[in-house]
Each structure stands twice: as structure tokens, then as C-alpha cells.
């Protein structure tokens, strides 16, 4: 017996000692608020009170919008309250590195929010109220609030906190439109640690590619008011092919309180492969190292030949008697001379720049042969002008100001982007719309009810002449409601006047955004109510003597893909707004299979604008947070989906990678195919998705997407994809022929990357 007792006693002593001298580990310092949330529709100040009994409310997952999980909230916009109870143990404080402050993180909230702790207002829209007697006031109206990560940092002795006791968090949410509620990342309560004071900004500076070298700068910012940080910064680069290490450096880095340090490093590697770049800053005694990971840009596509090559769609639609402008997109060195065989009556071709202009009165199909010639050769292409009732026969390609400039868009920014569209050569691949999003409208209409542009856009006619002079097209933005989402004037009750104004200005495209129409609509779940304002604007656009591409933006309400074309839309947003993260890209892009049957020539599902290049939604931009592979995935998927390709980046800041990404003629051909089929997801297993799009020539465009964090060797039987012939296969990003596929497709696909091919049946 004694023999048995002794080891048990020593084990107990050992366990006691271990727990007494243990330092905090990941997980000890955090209270997860992932589970236990309740929600109630409506608005009532009593719901903030600790004594209120919310047990009868519905349960809700705080990672997804309320529309996506609760039937009673489908298409719901307006007020709702969330509540959760949790205990904050005293040990949380004792175990912490600093022990002075606690943070309550809610993730994102769509759209605006006020947060109450134990009945008292804590803050709103990410602004903490230090005055603990603050009372709820106005908290709506911030159109960007949906994108803020809500985090409230409190000193540990804040009277609103109850240590060792039950705390009640109540969140009053207002959803202005589209998705609503608390969404990712996970809500939690934790002590403020080094990682919360130390910001590692790896996105402010791009990777620069110089010869065989990658040059990269990252920034470390110490946000603590008095504490200097002394730690080790490690940078590691590994190949995504075989995990081999290409580069590693470690340096001691001291960052004084309130200071920023910059760290530049260079590694050399062939720029045709995918690499993982990791940054780790570690301080002894902190719970977590600060960690970030990125993917370095690499170029898959060979440069375009110097000989002429006519890119772009094979067909273009225009209404009879309406002005036509089509710039023949052709790559190759300049000067280039454009010509054509017989042109339809009323149309002229400018041989120096390839602008087709004029108007055709008679409906019908006009097949012409276009030719582009330069010193090295020539290229010809059969091109159809279809004069009829349907326009935008292939998805629109161009640019929109929102994802870069947000409400700070101006005439000069649109002009410089337009110049860059031409000078970068993007125009030679069919990128042509220059669309002004919200923020151009003046505060008041004229006495005759006409909408004016504000001081940032001094002369819309001059701007449109300038844009058209470059062979590009000009788009504009409005709302069917009295105000736009940014709080500018909308078109409510002025639709006919506005359509006329835009036609007079020479506008070619309108994005019509629901926004404040929610205050007008009697019931947002009724189809008729959802369609009404879009039909009114359609009728107004039909009265003007100009083709204006009509883009419906109401975030997918009422299954808009099933009726967007019926109300005369050329494209319709199927989702809430995109941001430049893998999470947003996948949530939006990879859920589009639901809408695939509704795409057609002249009518496209719109999964929102693109998030490559420098983006930012305001004056301060950063290179997209997507890795290179994620960007290849993004462009491939949007092409397979026949989605509008509207760039959201600052075009005056394009690097070689981004230009290459956006000028692969074979990839863009998938998007611009005249059949306008939208790819179906035919395979979704074990983090691999396969999407197939039928092409007009009988071939298939196929994307093999790796949703995994690791390289994946895939080998999929053709039969599992519904393919049953022998196929000639071409890798579209690398523009190279592959071995014929007879029974399986084999490929290595980078993490979050894609293998995009076109397959032609052999017989
Ligand atoms: C949102 C819309 C965005 C942008 C913004 C402008 O509703 O989804 O794409 O247009 O409004 O305020």
C-alpha cells in the first residue's frame, strides 16, 4: 500500500507546483463569446438592463449575418438586439502580461451598433465612451461602419466591469440594408496583451520585384504609452511547392513606446512560383507571438507578343439609333493601324486608335472583320454588332471608384485612373468602363429638380468628353431612395429628370443602390416592393436616347437573380459588400453556384467589385491583403462566373504582377465568352472545388480550386466531374498545352490557389 501512496503524493505535489508557477498559455487569457448569444427583433432600451429576462429570445451564431441563419430575419433590415452573459474570472487579470486593461471584441457588426455592459453604454461603432454615465444617442448613418472591427478597451477598474461575477453584454444593432448583425471574427473578452499593443503592418508596403529579388518592408508599431518592447523579429520564406525554406532572418528589435520601426528584407527566388512569407515577433513572457503570413506575388502568364492581337468579346450589343462607342481592344506594339471590311451604315472606324463610333438605325446582326496591323504583323477577328433591344451582351469590364476611393472620389481621381487604364495597356484587353460610385452628388437639386454634381466634380460634361476621348465609358451611381448609402442625394421621385441629366452628360452606366429606399418600401420581403423602384428607373432610362447599362444593387434581396433581368437589369448584385480578405472572397465568390442558371447575354449575377491591387475605401490605400494565389483564384472565379469585372483598385498604382493578372487574354476570354454561361460547381470535396463553364465553341472552362492552406496534389476522375470524353487541355494562366485528359485530371494546386484550364473534346 505504501508503495502505491508515495507516487500518488509526489504526483499531486508536482501538479500543484506546476499549476502554481505556470505562466499563462494561449487560451487562458481569453473568454470566448462564440456561443450563448440571443437575439430579438425590434428596439427597446430595457433590453440593455441586467435584470431583463431574455431567455425567450432566439439563439444566434455571431459569425454569420442574421439573414443567413434565421428564417424570421430573412431580408430583415432595421433594429435588433443581441445579448450574452459571461463571468470574468479574477485570474484573467492575475495571469496577464500587463494586467491593466481588458478588451471586449465583437468582430464586425453590420451596420451600426451600440454596446451596453451591465446596463450602461460602453460605446458605439468602435468608439468607447469613457464617460460611464453616457446615454444612448444617434448612432445610425455611418455607411462604412459595417467594415469596422469593434473592440472596446477598458481599464480594469472601469465601474462597468464586474470581476468574478456575471456580466451582461447587450448590443443594439441597426442594419441599414443587405446583411445584418454581428459577424466574423469571433467575439471574445480578453486582457490586453502585447499583440494588442504591437501592430505588425505587413500590408502598407507592397512586395517590390527587382530582377530575381523580392524586396519587402514591414512596419512594427508600439501602441503602448509607456512600455518599450524588446523582442525577436523572424522573417521566413518557404516554397509552397515543397515547403523548403528559401530565406530566414532573425533580429533583435526594440520598439520604444509609441514608436514605429520599419524592417526591410530581400530574398531572391524565381518569380514564377508561389511562396509563403511569415513574420513573427516574439517577446519573452507574452502569451502569443505576433504573427502574420502573406503570399508573395509571382507571375504565371508569359508577356503578350509584340505582334498585334485583337482581344475582347466577339459580340457587342447596341440599341437602334443610340450612339455606339466600342474601342477595339488590341495588344501589341504601337503604332497600330485598325481597319475593317464593310462597316454597317452609320459607323466609322478611327484607324489610329481603333474607336468604332456612330449609330445604326436598323435592327439586325452585322458581322464585320476587324484587323489590327503593326510593323511586325497583323491580326483579324470576326466581330458581330447586334443592333437590338439587349445591350451588354458580355459582362461589363472596367473600374469603379468605391473599393479604392470610397466617398473621397473626385474628378481628378477618375481622370488619372482613366489615363492609367490606357497607359497601362489594360484598355487593350477590353477594360473600358470608368464608373463613379457614391460621393459625386451635390447637396441640393436645382429649382427645376435637376441633380448637380458637387465641388469634387466641377464639370460632368467635360469629364465625360475626356473619358470618351480616351475610348472609355463613364458610369455613375444613384439610389432609388431619397439618399444614397453615403448620405448623398438619391433619385427618389426624380427618376426621369435624373435619367435625362445623365444622358445629357454622356453617362453609359448606372449603378442603382437600394440604400435609403428601405425607408420608402413598405415591406422588404414583398417581391413587388423590391422590384418597384427598379422598374421606375428602367422606364426612365428607356426614355433617353442613349444606352445606359443598368446595374441593380440591392445585395441579393428577394432572390434578385431570378428577376433582375425581368425588370431590365443588365447586372444585379447578389451579395453584401466585398472586402479584400480571403474570408470575404470565399463567402461571396464560392456561394454563387446558387445563381448560376440566371446568367445570360445582357444579364449577369454580380458578386461585387474586384479586390486586387491597391484598395482602401477611402483616402488611405493599401495593397490588397489577398495573396497572389488568392488573386489568381479571384480572377479565375469571376471569369468562370461570367461576373462583371469591375476593378476596385487605384489604377495609377499598378505593379507588374497586377498587370499580368489582368491581361491574360485566354483567361479574360472565359469571362467574355458570348454564351455567357455561368459556371456550375460540380465537385466540392475535401477542400477542393471544381467549377465548370460551358463555352460557345463547345469547350469547357474548368477551375480546380484549392481551399486548403497547404499545397494539394489532386487527381480527379473526369467521370466525377460529369466529363466523359478525351479532352485537349490548356493551362490558361500559364498559356501552355497540357497532356490530353482521358480519364483523370492531375495537378498540384497552391494553397488557396487555382488550376484553370480549358478543355476541348477531341472528337
Ligand atoms: C453600398 C454598396 C457599395 C457602395 C456603397 C456606396 O451599399 O454596396 O458597393 O456603392 O454603398 O455608399
Amino acid at each position: 500500500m505504501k508503495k502505491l501512496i508515495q507516487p500518488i503524493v509526489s504526483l499531486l505535489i508536482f501538479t500543484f507546483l506546476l499549476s502554481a508557477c505556470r505562466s499563462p498559455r494561449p487560451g487562458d487569457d481569453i473568454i470566448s463569446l462564440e456561443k450563448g448569444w440571443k437575439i430579438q427583433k425590434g428596439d427597446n432600451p430595457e433590453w440593455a438592463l441586467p435584470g431583463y429576462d431574455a431567455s425567450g429570445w432566439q439563439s444566434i451564431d455571431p459569425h454569420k449575418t442574421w439573414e443567413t441563419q434565421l428564417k424570421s430575419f430573412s431580408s430583415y433590415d432595421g433594429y435588433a438586439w443581441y445579448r450574452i452573459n459571461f463571468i470574468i474570472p479574477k485570474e484573467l487579470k492575475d495571469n496577464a502580461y500587463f494586467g491593466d486593461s481588458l478588451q471586449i471584441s465583437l468582430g464586425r457588426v453590420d451596420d451600426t451598433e451600440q454596446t451596453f455592459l451591465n446596463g450602461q453604454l460602453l460605446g458605439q461603432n468602435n468608439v468607447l465612451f469613457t464617460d460611464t454615465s453616457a446615454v444612448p444617442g444617434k448612432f445610425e448613418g455611418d455607411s462604412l461602419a459595417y467594415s469596422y472591427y469593434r473592440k472596446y478597451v477598458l481599464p480594469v477598474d472601469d465601474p462597468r466591469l464586474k470581476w468574478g461575477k456575471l456580466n451582461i453584454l447587450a448590443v443594439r444593432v441597426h442594419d441599414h440594408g443587405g446583411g445584418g448583425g454581428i459577424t466574423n471574427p469571433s467575439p471574445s473578452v480578453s486582457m490586453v496583451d502585447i499583440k494588442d499593443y504591437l501592430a505588425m503592418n505587413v500590408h502598407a508596403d507592397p512586395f517590390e520585384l527587382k530582377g530575381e529579388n523580392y524586396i519587402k518592408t514591414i512596419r512594427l508599431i508600439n501602441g503602448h504609452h509607456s512600455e518599450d518592447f524588446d523582442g525577436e523579429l523572424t522573417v521566413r520564406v518557404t516554397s509552397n511547392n515543397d515547403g523548403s525554406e528559401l530565406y530566414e532572418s532573425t533580429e533583435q528589435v526594440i520598439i520604444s513606446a509609441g514608436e514605429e520601426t520599419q524592417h526591410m528584407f530581400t530574398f531572391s527566388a524565381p518569380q514564377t512560383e508561389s511562396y509563403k512569407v511569415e513574420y513573427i515577433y516574439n517577446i519573452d513572457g507574452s502569451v502569443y507571438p505576433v504573427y502574420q503570413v502573406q503570399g508573395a506575388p509571382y507571375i504565371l502568364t508569359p508577356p503578350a507578343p509584340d505582334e498585334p492581337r485583337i482581344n475582347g468579346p466577339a459580340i457587342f450589343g447596341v440599341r437602334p439609333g443610340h450612339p455606339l462607342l466600342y474601342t477595339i481592344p488590341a495588344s501589341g506594339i504601337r503604332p497600330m493601324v485598325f481597319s475593317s471590311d464593310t462597316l454597317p451604315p452609320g459607323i466609322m472606324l478611327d484607324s489610329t486608335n481603333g474607336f468604332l463610333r456612330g449609330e445604326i438605325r436598323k435592327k439586325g446582326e452585322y458581322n464585320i472583320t476587324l484587323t489590327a496591323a503593326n510593323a511586325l504583323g497583323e491580326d483579324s477577328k470576326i466581330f458581330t454588332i447586334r443592333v437590338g433591344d439587349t445591350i451588354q451582351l458580355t459582362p461589363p469590364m472596367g473600374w469603379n471608384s468605391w473599393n479604392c476611393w470610397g466617398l473621397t472620389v473626385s474628378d481628378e481621381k477618375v481622370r488619372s485612373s482613366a489615363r492609367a487604364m490606357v497607359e497601362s495597356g489594360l484598355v487593350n484587353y477590353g477594360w473600358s468602363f470608368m464608373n463613379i460610385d457614391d460621393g459625386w452628388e451635390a447637396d441640393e437639386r436645382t429649382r427645376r429638380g435637376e441633380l448637380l454634381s458637387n465641388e469634387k466634380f466641377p464639370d460632368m460634361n467635360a469629364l465625360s468628353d475626356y473619358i470618351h476621348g480616351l475610348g472609355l465609358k463613364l458610369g455613375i451611381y444613384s439610389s432609388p431612395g431619397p439618399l444614397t448609402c453615403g448620405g448623398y442625394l438619391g433619385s427618389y421621385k426624380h427618376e426621369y429628370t435624373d435619367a435625362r441629366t445623365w444622358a445629357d452628360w454622356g453617362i453609359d452606366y448606372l449603378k442603382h443602390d437600394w440604400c435609403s429606399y428601405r425607408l420608402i418600401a413598405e415591406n422588404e420581403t414583398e417581391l413587388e416592393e423590391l422590384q418597384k423602384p427598379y422598374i421606375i428607373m428602367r422606364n426612365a432610362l428607356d426614355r433617353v436616347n442613349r444606352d445606359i447599362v443598368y446595374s441593380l444593387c440591392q445585395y441579393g434581396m428577394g432572390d434578385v437573380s431570378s428577376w433582375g433581368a425581368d425588370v431590365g437589369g443588365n447586372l444585379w448584385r447578389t451579395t453584401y459588400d466585398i472586402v479584400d480578405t480571403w474570408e470575404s472572397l470565399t463567402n461571396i465568390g464560392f456561394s454563387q453556384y446558387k445563381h448560376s442558371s440566371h446568367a445570360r447575354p445582357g444579364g449577369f449575377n454580380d458578386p461585387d467589385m474586384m479586390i486586387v491591387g491597391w484598395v482602401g475605401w477611402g483616402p488611405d490605400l493599401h495593397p490588397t491583403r489577398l495573396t497572389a494565389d488568392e488573386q489568381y483564384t479571384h480572377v479565375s472565379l469571376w471569369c468562370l462566373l461570367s461576373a462583371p469585372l469591375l476593378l476596385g483598385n487605384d489604377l495609377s498604382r499598378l505593379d507588374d504582377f497586377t498587370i499580368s493578372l489582368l491581361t491574360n487574354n485566354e483567361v479574360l476570354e472565359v469571362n467574355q465568352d458570348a454564351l455567357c454561361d455561368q459556371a456550375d460547381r460540380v465537385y466540392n470535396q475535401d477542400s477542393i472545388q471544381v467549377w465548370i463553364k460551358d463555352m460557345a465553341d463547345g469547350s469547357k472552362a474548368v477551375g480546380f480550386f484549392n481551399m486548403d492552406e497547404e499545397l494539394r496534389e489532386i487527381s480527379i476522375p473526369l467521370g466525377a466531374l460529369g466529363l466523359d470524353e478525351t479532352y485537349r487541355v490548356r493551362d490558361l494562366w500559364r498559356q501552355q498545352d497540357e497532356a490530353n485528359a482521358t480519364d483523370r485530371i492531375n495537378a498540384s494546386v497552391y494553397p488557396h490557389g487555382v488550376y484553370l484550364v480549358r478543355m476541348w473534346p477531341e472528337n
Side-chain angles (χ1 to χ4, degrees):
M1 191 65 178
K2 199 174 163 209
K3 259 193 192 159
L4 200 70
I5 287 175
Q6 212 171 5
I8 291 178
V9 170
S10 353
L11 188 72
L12 283 175
I13 293 172
F14 176 70
T15 317
F16 171 72
L17 284 176
L18 196 74
S19 62
C21 64
R22 125 195 125 116
S23 61
R25 276 172 308 194
D28 286 354
D29 62 326
I30 188 160
I31 302 165
S32 162
L33 299 185
E34 290 197 352
K35 296 209 168 82
W37 287 93
K38 297 273 188 182
I39 189 167
Q40 176 68 27
K41 218 184 249 184
D43 192 27
N44 180 348
E46 285 182 13
W47 295 345
L49 302 179
Y52 184 81
D53 178 11
S55 56
W57 290 12
Q58 276 181 285
S59 297
I60 186 152
D61 176 350
H63 299 99
K64 298 186 274 187
T65 57
W66 58 49
E67 284 88 348
T68 56
Q69 50 178 321
L70 297 179
K71 259 215 176 96
S72 53
F73 277 78
S74 78
S75 311
Y76 179 65
D77 300 327
Y79 283 100
W81 282 67
Y82 284 69
R83 275 175 69 111
I84 193 168
N85 307 337
F86 55 92
I87 292 175
I88 315 179
K90 292 209 179 81
E91 299 78 62
L92 201 69
K93 195 166 26 174
D94 305 338
N95 285 341
Y97 187 91
F98 293 118
D100 56 358
S101 325
L102 175 131
Q103 59 191 355
I104 298 179
S105 312
L106 287 180
R108 268 175 289 137
V109 181
D110 207 337
D111 288 289
T112 45
E113 135 278 353
Q114 280 183 329
T115 295
F116 300 80
L117 184 63
N118 299 317
Q120 283 175 281
L121 187 60
L122 200 59
Q124 70 184 37
N125 301 332
N126 215 26
V127 179
L128 176 82
F129 292 139
T130 43
D131 174 4
T132 52
S133 61
V135 285
K138 205 167 150 23
F139 75 111
E140 289 184 45
D142 185 340
S143 67
L144 285 180
Y146 69 89
S147 61
Y148 309 155
Y149 292 90
R150 308 312 210 268
K151 190 193 269 186
Y152 296 111
V153 176
L154 312 170
V156 288
D157 56 0
D158 188 290
R160 290 167 290 198
L161 279 171
K162 291 194 185 333
W163 286 94
K165 294 199 187 122
L166 197 67
N167 287 260
I168 285 118
L169 194 64
V171 187
R172 179 187 184 206
V173 178
H174 187 269
D175 175 22
H176 309 345
I182 300 180
T183 60
N184 269 326
S186 287
S188 64
V189 174
S190 62
M191 290 302 293
V192 178
D193 190 53
I194 290 171
K195 69 169 177 7
D196 304 303
Y197 285 114
L198 189 100
M200 181 187 268
N201 189 346
V202 302
H203 296 292
D205 305 275
F207 281 93
E208 278 177 53
L209 276 60
K210 285 216 172 102
E212 278 279 280
N213 287 334
Y214 283 87
I215 304 167
K216 171 73 185 168
T217 300
I218 66 162
R219 303 171 189 212
L220 295 174
I221 304 120
N222 178 353
H224 201 281
H225 56 282
S226 58
E227 191 98 11
D228 297 345
F229 292 150
D230 183 354
E232 272 186 352
L233 174 66
T234 301
V235 178
R236 191 181 305 129
V237 182
T238 43
S239 155
N240 273 325
N241 278 327
D242 56 11
S244 62
E245 195 172 289
L246 281 110
Y247 173 88
E248 184 175 281
S249 67
T250 298
E251 57 175 319
Q252 198 71 24
V253 173
I254 299 174
I255 319 155
S256 311
E259 295 289 305
E260 172 181 311
T261 55
Q262 297 199 2
H263 307 272
M264 193 171 90
F265 63 95
T266 304
F267 67 95
S268 71
Q271 289 162 9
T272 48
E273 281 174 33
S274 169
Y275 306 107
K276 174 155 98 178
V277 186
E278 293 169 288
Y279 316 94
I280 306 131
Y281 185 71
N282 197 20
I283 299 180
D284 275 353
S286 79
V287 183
Y288 299 98
V290 181
Y291 176 84
Q292 298 256 6
V293 59
Q294 278 193 305
Y298 66 99
I299 293 179
L300 289 172
T301 304
D306 288 338
E307 291 81 15
R309 190 180 63 203
I310 301 183
N311 304 306
I315 189 160
F316 182 82
V318 64
R319 295 199 181 93
H322 285 192
L324 173 148
L325 169 61
Y326 181 79
T327 300
I328 301 170
S331 51
I333 52 164
R334 270 39 186 186
M336 200 173 273
V337 178
F338 294 88
S339 59
S340 158
D341 60 355
T342 46
L343 282 169
I347 295 295
M348 307 268 282
L349 170 62
D350 185 327
S351 64
T352 57
N353 51 26
F355 299 175
L356 281 165
R357 283 178 194 274
E359 56 183 61
I360 308 172
R361 299 212 164 273
K362 233 176 120 209
K363 281 192 176 178
E365 214 157 277
Y366 301 83
N367 294 321
I368 54 180
T369 303
L370 302 172
T371 302
N374 69 11
L376 300 172
E378 64 172 50
D379 186 34
S380 291
K381 175 168 179 157
I382 297 176
F383 185 68
T384 302
I385 301 176
R386 184 177 291 159
V387 185
D389 297 328
T390 311
I391 59 165
Q392 204 57 56
L393 299 177
T394 61
M397 286 177 69
W399 174 88
N400 170 294
S401 57
W402 184 250
N403 291 359
C404 47
W405 301 120
L407 295 173
T408 68
V409 61
S410 66
D411 175 284
E412 186 38 45
K413 284 173 177 153
V414 177
R415 282 176 194 244
S416 65
S417 294
R419 276 194 299 276
M421 189 71 113
V422 175
E423 283 159 15
S424 65
L426 288 186
V427 69
N428 300 334
Y429 292 80
W431 300 94
S432 53
F433 282 100
M434 300 302 303
N435 294 348
I436 308 167
D437 208 280
D438 204 358
W440 63 268
E441 311 86 336
D443 287 345
E444 280 179 33
R445 292 177 177 269
T446 64
R447 255 187 284 149
R448 288 165 51 201
E450 289 149 340
L451 197 52
L452 298 169
S453 56
N454 59 34
E455 61 295 342
K456 294 187 291 153
F457 289 88
D459 186 341
M460 280 295 194
N461 281 108
L463 177 59
S464 116
D465 287 348
Y466 182 80
I467 300 293
H468 292 145
L470 294 171
L472 302 169
K473 302 197 166 186
L474 186 62
I476 211 147
Y477 168 97
S478 191
S479 170
L483 294 177
T484 66
C485 295
Y488 290 81
L489 282 186
S491 294
Y492 183 55
K493 293 208 161 160
H494 292 88
E495 292 82 358
Y496 287 84
T497 317
D498 289 356
R500 220 174 312 121
T501 303
W502 297 326
D504 289 346
W505 286 347
I507 295 295
D508 305 294
Y509 184 113
L510 167 69
K511 171 172 168 185
H512 211 36
D513 194 350
W514 186 261
C515 304
S516 69
Y517 193 81
R518 73 187 160 79
L519 303 171
I520 309 288
E522 271 155 29
N523 183 350
E524 281 191 351
T525 55
E526 252 178 49
L527 202 57
E528 210 180 311
E529 282 291 290
L530 291 172
Q531 295 181 340
K532 193 159 87 187
Y534 287 102
I535 295 173
I536 296 176
M537 183 53 87
R538 174 72 267 164
N539 293 338
L541 293 175
D542 284 343
R543 293 248 193 120
V544 302
N545 187 31
R546 191 171 180 83
D547 284 351
I548 298 182
V549 173
Y550 189 27
S551 152
L552 319 186
C553 178
Q554 46 85 290
Y555 340 111
M557 288 187 289
D559 191 18
V560 65
S561 23
S562 63
W563 52 264
D566 300 341
V567 299
N570 294 111
L571 55 151
W572 40 86
R573 270 274 291 281
T574 52
T575 74
Y576 49 92
D577 290 18
I578 201 165
V579 291
D580 58 320
T581 61
W582 174 244
E583 183 203 354
S584 174
L585 173 67
T586 49
N587 283 344
I588 289 180
F590 288 96
S591 59
Q592 295 302 310
Y593 60 87
K594 298 174 198 153
H595 313 297
S596 68
S597 62
H598 301 298
R600 72 204 61 192
F604 306 98
N605 292 305
D606 174 9
D608 206 2
M609 295 156 312
M610 304 184 78
I611 40 169
V612 303
W614 284 74
V615 291
W617 292 267
D620 301 321
L621 307 188
H622 59 263
T624 177
R625 287 171 288 170
L626 298 180
T627 68
D629 290 304
E630 290 166 352
Q631 295 180 66
Y632 282 121
T633 288
H634 179 18
V635 176
S636 306
L637 184 60
W638 262 235
C639 287
L640 287 165
L641 293 174
S642 294
L645 297 182
L646 291 169
L647 298 167
N649 56 313
D650 176 5
L651 296 182
S652 61
R653 260 192 284 192
L654 284 167
D655 56 22
D656 292 348
F657 164 75
T658 313
I659 291 184
S660 168
L661 181 75
L662 302 176
T663 57
N664 180 318
N665 61 316
E666 296 185 33
V667 172
L668 295 174
E669 204 174 304
V670 174
N671 180 260
Q672 291 297 300
D673 186 68
L675 198 61
C676 299
D677 176 53
Q678 176 171 327
D680 282 309
R681 187 169 71 183
V682 297
Y683 183 97
N684 181 20
Q685 277 177 38
D686 192 20
S687 299
I688 300 294
Q689 297 197 16
V690 184
W691 292 63
I692 301 191
K693 171 182 162 110
D694 288 333
M695 301 284 286
D697 68 350
S699 64
K700 313 254 179 209
V702 190
F704 296 82
F705 295 95
N706 175 5
M707 315 300 286
D708 206 346
E709 316 274 314
E710 306 294 330
L711 176 95
R712 292 288 295 274
E713 303 289 350
I714 57 168
S715 176
I716 302 181
L718 291 183
L721 307 176
L723 302 174
D724 50 9
E725 301 188 44
T726 296
Y727 293 88
R728 183 161 67 80
V729 181
R730 188 161 164 85
D731 176 334
L732 297 186
W733 280 111
R734 293 182 180 79
Q735 302 198 333
Q736 76 193 13
D737 292 335
E738 307 279 73
N740 279 6
T742 45
D743 110 83
R744 310 181 78 83
I745 286 273
N746 302 317
S748 334
V749 192
Y750 286 134
H752 295 181
V754 60
Y755 178 52
L756 180 69
V757 295
R758 191 150 162 193
M759 299 171 62
W760 290 263
E762 273 289 76
N763 314 307

